[in-house]
Amino acid sequence: MVSFRGCAAGLLWAVLALAGGTRASEPPDLLPAAQRADAIRVYKAQRRMELLRAGQVIATYRIALGDAPIGHKRQQGDEKTPEGDYRITYRNPRSRFHLSLRVSYPNEADRRQARARGVDPGGDIMIHGATPPGYRGDWTDGCIAVTNAEMDEIWQRVPVGTPIRIVP
């Protein structure tokens, strides 16, 4: 889901619609195992995501987050990006946001806290494309967004099962 505020919203939505959505070709293949990431780190305050291999950073990306980026996601619709340890559970080559990698939010602790509060924890948290090149604002409903070109690179390096740590 995408949420926009302000007068530039219509123009930005049009650019995102052109940048994301259906693919003209098949997504790139995974790189050989020796070139893949074995971990992902997201630093929300710095709007930075790193791909790691054997503890070394192999790629760094500027990211956009949810419209309410401070704090851990606690329920559906709060527009927050979760914090904690998760895994990549699915690679979606037909994402409406170019390509996407599903993050395993909510985990059991997230579901437990939501149940205790009587709310839906939400879900469908992804790393995905569709951020226009050069755009610097947060615009997702809790996902981690990069440009389509960056998403192609990430797609090639991140297999299902990759652990992701998201920190404030």
Side-chain angles (χ1 to χ4, degrees):
M1 282 280 154
V2 177
S3 168
F4 295 102
R5 295 179 180 86
C7 18
L11 176 60
L12 184 56
W13 178 249
V15 170
L16 287 173
L18 291 173
T22 61
R23 294 187 56 84
S25 62
E26 290 301 310
D29 292 331
L30 273 170
L31 291 172
Q35 297 175 354
R36 295 179 194 168
D38 60 14
I40 302 169
R41 296 290 179 267
V42 173
Y43 302 93
K44 289 172 53 174
Q46 290 86 25
R47 301 302 188 275
R48 184 177 82 234
M49 180 172 69
E50 299 174 342
L51 303 185
L52 297 98
R53 174 129 194 105
Q56 300 299 308
V57 175
I58 60 173
T60 302
Y61 302 93
R62 179 161 173 77
I63 58 172
L65 300 171
D67 282 329
I70 297 172
H72 176 59
K73 183 165 193 62
R74 294 172 47 85
Q75 68 186 55
Q76 177 72 35
D78 66 8
E79 297 187 347
K80 293 185 181 299
T81 302
E83 297 170 356
D85 292 322
Y86 301 95
R87 290 202 171 268
I88 299 301
T89 60
Y90 179 69
R91 293 165 43 93
N92 182 0
R94 302 284 178 241
S95 169
R96 69 181 188 162
F97 296 108
H98 185 64
L99 296 169
S100 63
L101 302 172
R102 180 185 297 273
V103 175
S104 63
Y105 175 88
N107 62 25
E108 186 51 42
D110 297 320
R111 286 189 289 277
R112 217 176 13 258
Q113 74 77 25
R115 259 193 318 274
R117 295 174 50 244
V119 298
D120 180 342
D124 285 334
I125 300 299
M126 310 280 180
I127 300 170
H128 61 68
T131 299
Y135 185 74
R136 297 291 186 202
D138 291 322
W139 61 269
T140 78
D141 283 345
C143 294
I144 299 162
V146 295
T147 68
N148 288 355
E150 291 168 333
M151 193 62 218
D152 284 345
E153 293 173 16
I154 295 163
W155 182 265
Q156 292 178 73
R157 292 183 179 266
V158 178
V160 167
T162 303
I164 177 171
R165 175 169 285 169
I166 306 169
V167 298

